[in-house]
Coordinates of all heavy atoms in Angstrom, one line a residue:
R138 N -32.5 -22.3 11.7 CA -31.4 -22.0 10.7 C -30.9 -23.3 10.1 O -30.1 -24.0 10.7 CB -30.3 -21.2 11.3 CG -29.4 -20.5 10.2 CD -30.2 -19.5 9.4 NE -29.4 -18.9 8.4 CZ -28.9 -17.7 8.4 NH1 -29.1 -16.9 9.5 NH2 -28.2 -17.2 7.4
N140 N -28.9 -24.0 7.5 CA -27.5 -24.0 7.1 C -26.6 -24.2 8.3 O -26.5 -23.4 9.2 CB -27.2 -22.7 6.3 CG -25.8 -22.7 5.7 OD1 -24.9 -23.4 6.1 ND2 -25.6 -22.0 4.6
A375 N -19.6 -19.9 -0.5 CA -20.9 -19.9 0.1 C -21.4 -21.4 0.2 O -22.0 -21.7 1.3 CB -21.9 -19.1 -0.8
S376 N -21.3 -22.2 -0.8 CA -22.0 -23.5 -0.7 C -21.4 -24.5 -1.8 O -20.7 -24.1 -2.7 CB -23.5 -23.3 -1.0 OG -23.7 -22.9 -2.3
W379 N -26.7 -26.2 -5.0 CA -27.7 -25.2 -5.2 C -29.1 -25.9 -5.1 O -29.4 -26.5 -4.1 CB -27.5 -24.5 -6.5 CG -26.4 -23.5 -6.5 CD1 -25.7 -23.1 -5.4 CD2 -26.0 -22.6 -7.5 NE1 -24.8 -22.1 -5.7 CE2 -24.9 -21.8 -7.0 CE3 -26.3 -22.5 -8.9 CZ2 -24.3 -20.9 -7.8 CZ3 -25.6 -21.6 -9.7 CH2 -24.6 -20.8 -9.2
F403 N -33.6 -26.5 1.2 CA -33.8 -25.1 1.8 C -33.1 -24.0 0.9 O -33.0 -22.9 1.4 CB -33.4 -25.0 3.2 CG -32.0 -25.4 3.6 CD1 -30.9 -24.6 3.3 CD2 -31.7 -26.7 4.1 CE1 -29.6 -24.9 3.7 CE2 -30.4 -27.0 4.4 CZ -29.3 -26.1 4.2
F404 N -32.6 -24.4 -0.2 CA -31.9 -23.4 -1.1 C -32.7 -22.2 -1.4 O -32.3 -21.1 -1.2 CB -31.5 -24.1 -2.4 CG -30.8 -23.2 -3.4 CD1 -29.5 -22.9 -3.3 CD2 -31.6 -22.6 -4.4 CE1 -28.9 -22.0 -4.2 CE2 -31.1 -21.8 -5.3 CZ -29.7 -21.5 -5.2
E405 N -33.9 -22.4 -1.9 CA -34.7 -21.3 -2.4 C -35.1 -20.3 -1.3 O -35.1 -19.1 -1.5 CB -36.0 -21.8 -3.1 CG -36.8 -20.7 -3.8 CD -36.0 -20.0 -4.9 OE1 -35.2 -20.7 -5.6 OE2 -36.2 -18.8 -5.1
E406 N -35.4 -20.9 -0.1 CA -35.8 -20.0 1.0 C -34.7 -19.3 1.6 O -34.8 -18.1 2.1 CB -36.5 -20.9 2.0 CG -37.0 -20.1 3.2 CD -37.7 -20.9 4.3 OE1 -37.8 -22.2 4.1 OE2 -38.1 -20.4 5.3
W407 N -33.5 -19.9 1.6 CA -32.4 -19.4 2.5 C -31.2 -18.9 1.8 O -30.3 -18.2 2.4 CB -32.0 -20.5 3.5 CG -32.9 -20.7 4.6 CD1 -33.9 -21.6 4.7 CD2 -33.0 -19.9 5.8 NE1 -34.6 -21.5 5.8 CE2 -34.1 -20.5 6.5 CE3 -32.3 -18.8 6.3 CZ2 -34.5 -19.9 7.8 CZ3 -32.7 -18.3 7.5 CH2 -33.8 -18.9 8.3
I408 N -31.0 -19.2 0.5 CA -29.6 -19.0 -0.1 C -29.3 -17.5 -0.2 O -28.2 -17.1 0.1 CB -29.5 -19.6 -1.5 CG1 -28.1 -19.5 -2.0 CG2 -30.5 -19.0 -2.5 CD1 -27.1 -20.3 -1.2
D409 N -30.3 -16.6 -0.5 CA -30.0 -15.2 -0.5 C -29.5 -14.7 0.8 O -28.5 -13.9 0.9 CB -31.2 -14.4 -0.9 CG -31.6 -14.6 -2.4 OD1 -31.0 -15.5 -3.1 OD2 -32.4 -13.9 -2.9
R410 N -30.2 -15.1 1.9 CA -29.7 -14.7 3.2 C -28.4 -15.3 3.6 O -27.6 -14.6 4.2 CB -30.8 -15.0 4.2 CG -30.5 -14.6 5.7 CD -31.6 -14.8 6.6 NE -31.2 -14.5 8.0 CZ -32.0 -14.7 9.0 NH1 -33.2 -15.1 8.9 NH2 -31.6 -14.4 10.3
D411 N -28.2 -16.6 3.3 CA -26.9 -17.2 3.6 C -25.8 -16.5 3.0 O -24.7 -16.3 3.6 CB -27.0 -18.7 3.2 CG -27.9 -19.5 4.1 OD1 -28.2 -19.1 5.2 OD2 -28.2 -20.7 3.7
V412 N -25.9 -16.2 1.7 CA -24.8 -15.5 0.9 C -24.6 -14.1 1.5 O -23.5 -13.7 1.7 CB -25.1 -15.5 -0.6 CG1 -24.2 -14.6 -1.3 CG2 -25.1 -16.9 -1.2
A413 N -25.7 -13.4 1.7 CA -25.5 -12.0 2.3 C -24.9 -12.0 3.7 O -24.0 -11.2 4.0 CB -26.9 -11.3 2.3
D414 N -25.3 -13.0 4.5 CA -24.7 -13.1 5.8 C -23.2 -13.4 5.8 O -22.4 -13.0 6.6 CB -25.5 -14.1 6.7 CG -26.8 -13.6 7.2 OD1 -27.1 -12.4 6.9 OD2 -27.5 -14.3 7.9
M415 N -22.8 -14.3 4.9 CA -21.4 -14.6 4.7 C -20.6 -13.3 4.4 O -19.6 -13.1 5.0 CB -21.2 -15.6 3.6 CG -19.7 -15.9 3.2 SD -19.5 -16.9 1.7 CE -19.9 -15.7 0.4
V416 N -21.1 -12.5 3.5 CA -20.4 -11.3 3.0 C -20.4 -10.3 4.2 O -19.4 -9.7 4.5 CB -21.0 -10.8 1.8 CG1 -20.3 -9.5 1.4 CG2 -21.0 -11.8 0.6
R417 N -21.5 -10.1 4.8 CA -21.6 -9.2 6.0 C -20.6 -9.6 7.1 O -19.9 -8.7 7.6 CB -23.0 -9.0 6.5 CG -24.0 -8.3 5.6 CD -25.3 -8.0 6.3 NE -26.2 -7.3 5.4 CZ -27.2 -8.0 4.7 NH1 -27.3 -9.3 4.9 NH2 -28.0 -7.3 3.9
I430 N -19.6 -17.8 -5.1 CA -21.1 -18.1 -4.9 C -21.4 -19.6 -4.9 O -22.5 -20.0 -4.7 CB -21.9 -17.3 -5.9 CG1 -21.5 -17.7 -7.3 CG2 -21.9 -15.8 -5.6 CD1 -22.4 -17.0 -8.4
E473 N -28.8 -18.2 -14.5 CA -29.8 -17.3 -13.9 C -29.5 -17.3 -12.4 O -29.6 -16.2 -11.7 CB -31.2 -17.9 -14.2 CG -31.6 -17.8 -15.6 CD -31.4 -16.4 -16.2 OE1 -31.9 -15.4 -15.6 OE2 -30.7 -16.3 -17.3
I474 N -29.2 -18.4 -11.8 CA -29.0 -18.4 -10.3 C -27.7 -17.6 -10.0 O -27.6 -16.9 -9.0 CB -28.9 -19.8 -9.8 CG1 -30.2 -20.5 -9.9 CG2 -28.4 -19.9 -8.3 CD1 -30.2 -22.0 -9.6
A475 N -26.7 -17.8 -10.9 CA -25.4 -17.1 -10.7 C -25.6 -15.6 -10.7 O -25.1 -14.8 -9.9 CB -24.4 -17.5 -11.7
K476 N -26.4 -15.1 -11.6 CA -26.7 -13.7 -11.7 C -27.4 -13.2 -10.4 O -27.1 -12.1 -9.9 CB -27.6 -13.4 -12.9 CG -26.8 -13.4 -14.2 CD -27.6 -12.9 -15.4 CE -28.7 -13.8 -15.8 NZ -29.4 -13.4 -17.1
R477 N -28.3 -14.0 -9.9 CA -29.1 -13.7 -8.7 C -28.1 -13.6 -7.5 O -28.2 -12.6 -6.7 CB -30.1 -14.7 -8.5 CG -30.8 -14.7 -7.1 CD -31.7 -15.9 -7.0 NE -32.1 -16.2 -5.6 CZ -32.9 -17.2 -5.3 NH1 -33.3 -18.1 -6.2 NH2 -33.2 -17.4 -4.0
L478 N -27.2 -14.6 -7.3 CA -26.4 -14.6 -6.2 C -25.3 -13.6 -6.3 O -24.9 -13.0 -5.3 CB -25.8 -16.0 -6.0 CG -26.8 -17.1 -5.8 CD1 -26.1 -18.4 -5.5 CD2 -27.7 -16.8 -4.6
A479 N -24.8 -13.3 -7.5 CA -23.8 -12.3 -7.6 C -24.4 -10.9 -7.3 O -23.7 -10.1 -6.6 CB -23.3 -12.2 -9.1
K480 N -25.7 -10.7 -7.6 CA -26.3 -9.4 -7.2 C -26.4 -9.3 -5.7 O -26.3 -8.2 -5.1 CB -27.7 -9.4 -7.9 CG -28.5 -8.1 -7.6 CD -29.8 -8.1 -8.3 CE -30.6 -6.9 -8.0 NZ -31.9 -6.9 -8.7
V481 N -26.7 -10.4 -5.0 CA -26.8 -10.4 -3.6 C -25.4 -10.0 -3.0 O -25.3 -9.2 -2.1 CB -27.2 -11.8 -3.0 CG1 -27.0 -11.8 -1.5 CG2 -28.6 -12.2 -3.4
V482 N -24.3 -10.6 -3.5 CA -23.0 -10.2 -3.0 C -22.8 -8.7 -3.2 O -22.3 -8.0 -2.3 CB -21.9 -11.0 -3.7 CG1 -20.5 -10.5 -3.3 CG2 -22.0 -12.5 -3.3
S484 N -24.8 -6.4 -3.5 CA -25.6 -5.5 -2.6 C -25.0 -5.2 -1.3 O -25.4 -4.2 -0.6 CB -27.0 -6.1 -2.5 OG -27.0 -7.2 -1.6
V485 N -24.1 -6.0 -0.9 CA -23.4 -5.9 0.4 C -22.0 -5.3 0.3 O -21.6 -4.4 1.0 CB -23.4 -7.2 1.2 CG1 -22.7 -7.0 2.6 CG2 -24.8 -7.8 1.4

Side-chain angles (χ1 to χ4, degrees):
R138 194 63 183 256
N140 188 331
S376 66
W379 282 358
F403 55 80
F404 173 85
E405 187 60 36
E406 179 181 358
W407 285 96
I408 190 61
D409 289 10
R410 180 174 176 182
D411 287 344
V412 170
D414 282 357
M415 174 188 75
V416 178
R417 288 192 183 96
I430 56 175
E473 297 307 309
I474 294 172
K476 287 190 287 186
R477 166 185 166 187
L478 298 185
K480 183 178 179 180
V481 171
V482 172
S484 72
V485 181

